[in-house]
Coordinates of all heavy atoms in Angstrom, one line a residue:
E7 N -28.1 194.5 -66.2 CA -29.1 194.9 -65.2 C -29.5 196.4 -65.2 O -30.5 196.8 -64.7 CB -28.6 194.6 -63.8 CG -27.3 195.4 -63.4 CD -26.5 194.8 -62.2 OE1 -26.3 193.6 -62.2 OE2 -26.1 195.6 -61.4
H8 N -28.7 197.2 -65.9 CA -29.0 198.6 -66.0 C -29.7 199.0 -67.3 O -30.0 200.2 -67.5 CB -27.7 199.5 -65.9 CG -27.0 199.3 -64.6 ND1 -27.5 199.8 -63.4 CD2 -25.8 198.7 -64.3 CE1 -26.7 199.5 -62.4 NE2 -25.7 198.8 -62.9
V9 N -29.9 198.1 -68.2 CA -30.5 198.4 -69.5 C -31.9 197.9 -69.6 O -32.2 196.7 -69.2 CB -29.7 197.8 -70.6 CG1 -30.3 198.0 -72.0 CG2 -28.3 198.4 -70.6
E10 N -32.8 198.7 -70.0 CA -34.2 198.3 -70.2 C -34.5 198.5 -71.7 O -34.3 199.5 -72.3 CB -35.2 199.2 -69.4 CG -36.6 198.8 -69.6 CD -37.6 199.7 -68.8 OE1 -37.2 200.2 -67.8 OE2 -38.7 199.9 -69.3
I11 N -35.0 197.4 -72.3 CA -35.4 197.4 -73.7 C -36.9 197.1 -73.9 O -37.3 196.2 -73.3 CB -34.6 196.4 -74.6 CG1 -33.1 196.7 -74.5 CG2 -35.0 196.4 -76.0 CD1 -32.2 195.6 -75.1
T12 N -37.6 198.0 -74.6 CA -39.0 197.7 -74.8 C -39.2 197.6 -76.3 O -38.5 198.2 -77.1 CB -39.8 198.9 -74.3 OG1 -39.4 200.1 -74.9 CG2 -39.7 199.0 -72.8
G13 N -40.3 196.9 -76.7 CA -40.6 196.7 -78.1 C -40.4 195.2 -78.5 O -39.8 194.4 -77.8
Q14 N -40.8 194.9 -79.7 CA -40.8 193.5 -80.2 C -39.4 193.3 -80.9 O -39.1 193.9 -81.9 CB -41.9 193.3 -81.2 CG -42.0 191.9 -81.7 CD -42.3 190.9 -80.6 OE1 -43.2 191.1 -79.8 NE2 -41.7 189.7 -80.7
L15 N -38.6 192.3 -80.3 CA -37.3 192.0 -80.8 C -37.4 190.6 -81.5 O -38.1 189.7 -81.0 CB -36.3 191.9 -79.7 CG -35.9 193.3 -79.2 CD1 -35.0 193.1 -77.9 CD2 -35.1 194.1 -80.2
T16 N -36.6 190.4 -82.5 CA -36.4 189.1 -83.1 C -34.9 188.8 -82.8 O -34.1 189.6 -82.9 CB -36.6 189.1 -84.6 OG1 -38.0 189.4 -84.9 CG2 -36.3 187.8 -85.3
R17 N -34.7 187.5 -82.4 CA -33.3 187.1 -82.0 C -32.8 186.1 -83.0 O -33.5 185.3 -83.6 CB -33.3 186.5 -80.6 CG -33.8 187.6 -79.6 CD -33.6 187.1 -78.2 NE -34.2 188.0 -77.2 CZ -33.7 189.1 -76.8 NH1 -32.5 189.4 -77.2 NH2 -34.3 189.9 -75.9
F18 N -31.5 186.3 -83.2 CA -30.7 185.3 -84.1 C -29.5 184.9 -83.4 O -28.7 185.8 -82.9 CB -30.4 186.0 -85.4 CG -29.6 185.1 -86.3 CD1 -30.2 184.0 -87.0 CD2 -28.2 185.2 -86.5 CE1 -29.5 183.2 -87.9 CE2 -27.5 184.4 -87.3 CZ -28.2 183.3 -88.0
T19 N -29.2 183.6 -83.2 CA -28.1 183.1 -82.5 C -27.1 182.5 -83.5 O -27.6 181.7 -84.4 CB -28.5 182.1 -81.4 OG1 -29.3 182.8 -80.5 CG2 -27.2 181.6 -80.7
S20 N -25.8 182.8 -83.4 CA -24.8 182.2 -84.3 C -23.6 182.0 -83.4 O -23.4 182.8 -82.4 CB -24.6 183.0 -85.5 OG -24.1 184.3 -85.1
P21 N -22.7 181.1 -83.8 CA -21.4 181.0 -83.1 C -20.5 182.2 -83.5 O -20.4 182.6 -84.7 CB -20.8 179.7 -83.6 CG -21.5 179.4 -84.9 CD -22.8 180.1 -84.9
G22 N -19.8 182.8 -82.5 CA -18.8 183.8 -82.8 C -17.5 183.2 -83.2 O -17.4 182.0 -83.3
G23 N -16.5 184.0 -83.4 CA -15.2 183.6 -83.8 C -14.6 182.6 -82.8 O -13.8 181.8 -83.1
S24 N -15.0 182.8 -81.5 CA -14.5 182.0 -80.4 C -15.2 180.6 -80.4 O -14.8 179.7 -79.7 CB -14.7 182.7 -79.1 OG -16.1 182.8 -78.8
G25 N -16.3 180.5 -81.1 CA -17.1 179.3 -81.1 C -18.3 179.4 -80.1 O -19.2 178.6 -80.1
H26 N -18.3 180.4 -79.2 CA -19.3 180.6 -78.3 C -20.5 181.4 -78.9 O -20.2 182.2 -79.8 CB -18.8 181.4 -77.0 CG -17.9 180.5 -76.2 ND1 -16.5 180.5 -76.5 CD2 -18.1 179.7 -75.2 CE1 -15.9 179.7 -75.7 NE2 -16.9 179.2 -74.8
A27 N -21.7 181.3 -78.4 CA -22.8 181.9 -79.0 C -22.9 183.4 -78.9 O -22.5 183.9 -77.9 CB -24.1 181.3 -78.4
I28 N -23.4 184.0 -79.9 CA -23.7 185.4 -79.9 C -25.2 185.5 -80.2 O -25.7 185.0 -81.2 CB -22.9 186.2 -81.0 CG1 -21.4 186.2 -80.7 CG2 -23.4 187.7 -81.0 CD1 -20.6 186.8 -81.8
H29 N -26.0 186.2 -79.4 CA -27.4 186.3 -79.5 C -27.7 187.7 -79.9 O -27.6 188.6 -79.1 CB -28.1 186.0 -78.2 CG -27.7 184.7 -77.6 ND1 -28.1 183.4 -78.1 CD2 -26.9 184.4 -76.5 CE1 -27.6 182.5 -77.3 NE2 -26.8 183.1 -76.4
R30 N -28.0 188.0 -81.2 CA -28.3 189.3 -81.7 C -29.8 189.6 -81.6 O -30.6 188.7 -81.9 CB -27.8 189.5 -83.1 CG -26.3 189.5 -83.2 CD -25.7 189.6 -84.6 NE -24.3 189.6 -84.6 CZ -23.6 188.5 -84.6 NH1 -24.2 187.3 -84.7 NH2 -22.3 188.5 -84.6
A31 N -30.1 190.8 -81.3 CA -31.6 191.2 -81.2 C -31.8 192.3 -82.2 O -31.2 193.4 -82.2 CB -31.9 191.7 -79.8
F32 N -32.9 192.1 -83.0 CA -33.2 193.1 -84.1 C -34.7 193.5 -83.9 O -35.5 192.8 -83.3 CB -33.2 192.3 -85.5 CG -31.9 191.7 -85.8 CD1 -31.6 190.5 -85.3 CD2 -31.1 192.3 -86.7 CE1 -30.4 189.9 -85.6 CE2 -29.9 191.7 -87.0 CZ -29.5 190.5 -86.5
C33 N -35.0 194.7 -84.3 CA -36.4 195.2 -84.3 C -37.2 194.3 -85.3 O -36.8 194.0 -86.4 CB -36.5 196.6 -84.8 SG -38.2 197.2 -85.1
S34 N -38.3 193.8 -84.8 CA -39.1 192.9 -85.6 C -39.8 193.6 -86.8 O -40.2 192.9 -87.7 CB -40.2 192.2 -84.7 OG -39.5 191.4 -83.8
R35 N -39.9 194.9 -86.7 CA -40.6 195.6 -87.8 C -39.6 196.1 -88.8 O -39.7 195.9 -90.0 CB -41.3 196.8 -87.2 CG -42.1 197.6 -88.2 CD -43.0 198.6 -87.5 NE -43.6 199.5 -88.5 CZ -43.7 200.8 -88.5 NH1 -43.2 201.4 -87.4 NH2 -44.2 201.4 -89.4
C36 N -38.5 196.9 -88.4 CA -37.6 197.5 -89.4 C -36.3 196.8 -89.6 O -35.6 197.0 -90.5 CB -37.3 199.0 -89.0 SG -36.3 199.2 -87.5

């Protein structure tokens, strides 16, 4: 709730070592 992110992100979801999802966000440009 305290973080603001601006810009175009691409997301990739994969299971972590625990088996639960990790949703990573990357800059769509670089």
Side-chain angles (χ1 to χ4, degrees):
E7 65 197 44
H8 297 292
V9 176
E10 181 180 329
I11 300 176
T12 58
Q14 184 66 38
L15 290 169
T16 297
R17 299 187 187 279
F18 178 77
T19 299
S20 63
S24 66
H26 293 86
I28 299 175
H29 311 284
R30 291 181 182 84
F32 304 81
C33 171
S34 296
R35 181 170 175 226
C36 69

